[in-house]
Amino acid sequence: MGNDGFRVDLAALQQASQGVNDAIAALENELPWPVRKMGNDGHGVTMMNLDAEQSGSALVTEALKRFCGRWEYGVKFLVEEGAAAASALTDTRSEYEKMEQAAIDAFKKILGAGFDNPTADLNAAPQKSFAQFGVDIAPEGMPQQAASHVLNQAGYNTKVDG
């Protein structure tokens, strides 16, 4: 969706939102089993420790313990902000889709008013396909049947016999 250099990539918004949610899920999966479901609150980071034998040094063990203690709050913040960002990206995508559909519907109403039956209900125009408008705009007879045939061959159902 875009015009005059401004473009919104709806698929990229979806991918970004999914990427954040995937990162949150991956973080949760790294936590020890007893606190895995509480990972969104930062719980469990302090359980990610090594003892002196595993780390090779009591100093490294203590540093890791302090680091994990501080990052329990950091993880909680990152998860909360990440979830909010993912939700905002999803909401943004949804709003762009709604606005794009509203613009398409309005354009179809304009087409209906300009080329369709002037007494027709303009609220029905958004249900018509652009292919059907193309057929309706073509003159009656062979040109209309030819347009319908070409569009039907391309996979559009224009519902014009002939």
Side-chain angles (χ1 to χ4, degrees):
M1 158 179 196
N3 192 8
D4 295 331
F6 179 76
R7 179 163 162 56
V8 176
D9 188 340
L10 298 178
L13 287 174
Q14 176 64 31
Q15 289 173 340
S17 175
Q18 187 61 49
V20 172
N21 286 326
D22 289 348
I24 292 169
L27 175 66
E28 186 178 85
N29 286 335
E30 290 300 316
L31 295 174
W33 178 82
V35 292
R36 187 165 285 166
K37 290 300 175 194
M38 297 185 296
N40 291 348
D41 293 328
H43 298 296
V45 177
T46 55
M47 295 178 71
M48 297 168 56
N49 279 324
L50 301 174
D51 59 30
E53 185 177 307
Q54 292 170 316
S55 70
S57 166
L59 185 62
V60 170
T61 297
E62 187 57 34
L64 180 62
K65 183 178 178 181
R66 283 194 313 263
F67 176 82
C68 289
R70 288 185 186 127
W71 269 98
E72 197 158 69
Y73 299 105
V75 167
K76 181 180 184 336
F77 175 79
L78 289 173
V79 168
E80 286 173 353
E81 293 302 308
S87 177
L89 288 167
T90 298
D91 292 347
T92 300
R93 180 177 187 257
S94 176
E95 288 303 313
Y96 270 107
E97 287 174 330
K98 287 177 189 173
M99 293 301 107
E100 186 174 39
Q101 189 60 51
I104 290 169
D105 291 350
F107 185 67
K108 285 181 176 180
K109 285 181 181 182
I110 291 168
L111 284 175
F115 297 105
D116 216 353
N117 179 351
T119 62
D121 179 17
L122 289 181
N123 290 324
Q127 280 69 46
K128 290 177 79 172
S129 69
F130 283 116
Q132 184 63 49
F133 277 112
V135 169
D136 292 347
I137 292 169
E140 291 287 331
M142 288 303 288
Q144 189 179 49
Q145 291 172 359
S148 177
H149 178 73
V150 168
L151 290 167
N152 286 336
Q153 291 296 318
Y156 298 99
N157 183 3
T158 59
K159 298 180 185 172
V160 174
D161 297 324

Short mmCIF file of all heavy atoms in Angstrom, two decimals, residues 49-58 60-61 64:
data_model
loop_
_atom_site.label_atom_id
_atom_site.label_comp_id
_atom_site.label_asym_id
_atom_site.label_seq_id
_atom_site.Cartn_x
_atom_site.Cartn_y
_atom_site.Cartn_z
N ASN A 49 22.12 -19.99 36.77
CA ASN A 49 23.42 -19.83 37.42
C ASN A 49 24.33 -21.02 37.14
O ASN A 49 23.88 -22.09 36.73
CB ASN A 49 23.25 -19.73 38.94
CG ASN A 49 22.88 -18.34 39.37
OD1 ASN A 49 23.34 -17.36 38.79
ND2 ASN A 49 22.06 -18.24 40.40
N LEU A 50 25.59 -20.79 37.38
CA LEU A 50 26.59 -21.85 37.36
C LEU A 50 27.23 -21.87 38.75
O LEU A 50 27.44 -20.83 39.36
CB LEU A 50 27.67 -21.55 36.32
CG LEU A 50 27.21 -21.40 34.87
CD1 LEU A 50 28.38 -20.96 34.00
CD2 LEU A 50 26.64 -22.70 34.35
N ASP A 51 27.55 -23.05 39.22
CA ASP A 51 28.29 -23.09 40.48
C ASP A 51 29.78 -22.90 40.16
O ASP A 51 30.19 -22.87 39.00
CB ASP A 51 28.01 -24.38 41.26
CG ASP A 51 28.37 -25.64 40.50
OD1 ASP A 51 29.30 -25.59 39.66
OD2 ASP A 51 27.73 -26.68 40.75
N ALA A 52 30.59 -22.78 41.20
CA ALA A 52 32.02 -22.51 41.01
C ALA A 52 32.70 -23.62 40.21
O ALA A 52 33.62 -23.36 39.43
CB ALA A 52 32.71 -22.33 42.36
N GLU A 53 32.26 -24.84 40.38
CA GLU A 53 32.86 -25.94 39.64
C GLU A 53 32.53 -25.83 38.15
O GLU A 53 33.38 -26.08 37.30
CB GLU A 53 32.33 -27.27 40.21
CG GLU A 53 32.98 -28.49 39.59
CD GLU A 53 32.48 -29.78 40.23
OE1 GLU A 53 32.52 -29.89 41.47
OE2 GLU A 53 32.04 -30.64 39.46
N GLN A 54 31.30 -25.45 37.82
CA GLN A 54 30.90 -25.32 36.43
C GLN A 54 31.58 -24.13 35.74
O GLN A 54 31.97 -24.21 34.59
CB GLN A 54 29.38 -25.17 36.31
CG GLN A 54 28.61 -26.42 36.69
CD GLN A 54 27.12 -26.14 36.78
OE1 GLN A 54 26.70 -25.13 37.34
NE2 GLN A 54 26.33 -27.07 36.24
N SER A 55 31.68 -23.02 36.48
CA SER A 55 32.26 -21.81 35.87
C SER A 55 33.78 -21.80 35.95
O SER A 55 34.43 -21.08 35.20
CB SER A 55 31.71 -20.56 36.55
OG SER A 55 32.22 -20.45 37.87
N GLY A 56 34.32 -22.55 36.89
CA GLY A 56 35.76 -22.59 37.05
C GLY A 56 36.28 -21.54 38.00
O GLY A 56 37.47 -21.47 38.28
N SER A 57 35.39 -20.69 38.53
CA SER A 57 35.83 -19.62 39.42
C SER A 57 34.66 -19.14 40.27
O SER A 57 33.57 -18.88 39.75
CB SER A 57 36.38 -18.44 38.59
OG SER A 57 36.50 -17.29 39.38
N ALA A 58 34.92 -18.97 41.56
CA ALA A 58 33.89 -18.43 42.46
C ALA A 58 33.59 -16.98 42.08
O ALA A 58 32.44 -16.52 42.20
CB ALA A 58 34.36 -18.52 43.91
N VAL A 60 33.61 -15.68 39.00
CA VAL A 60 32.72 -15.71 37.84
C VAL A 60 31.30 -16.11 38.28
O VAL A 60 30.31 -15.52 37.82
CB VAL A 60 33.24 -16.67 36.76
CG1 VAL A 60 32.22 -16.89 35.66
CG2 VAL A 60 34.55 -16.17 36.18
N THR A 61 31.20 -17.07 39.17
CA THR A 61 29.89 -17.50 39.67
C THR A 61 29.17 -16.34 40.34
O THR A 61 27.98 -16.11 40.10
CB THR A 61 30.05 -18.68 40.64
OG1 THR A 61 30.59 -19.78 39.91
CG2 THR A 61 28.73 -19.08 41.26
N LEU A 64 28.08 -13.71 37.76
CA LEU A 64 26.92 -14.18 37.01
C LEU A 64 25.66 -14.08 37.86
O LEU A 64 24.61 -13.67 37.37
CB LEU A 64 27.13 -15.63 36.55
CG LEU A 64 25.99 -16.25 35.76
CD1 LEU A 64 25.73 -15.47 34.46
CD2 LEU A 64 26.30 -17.71 35.44
#
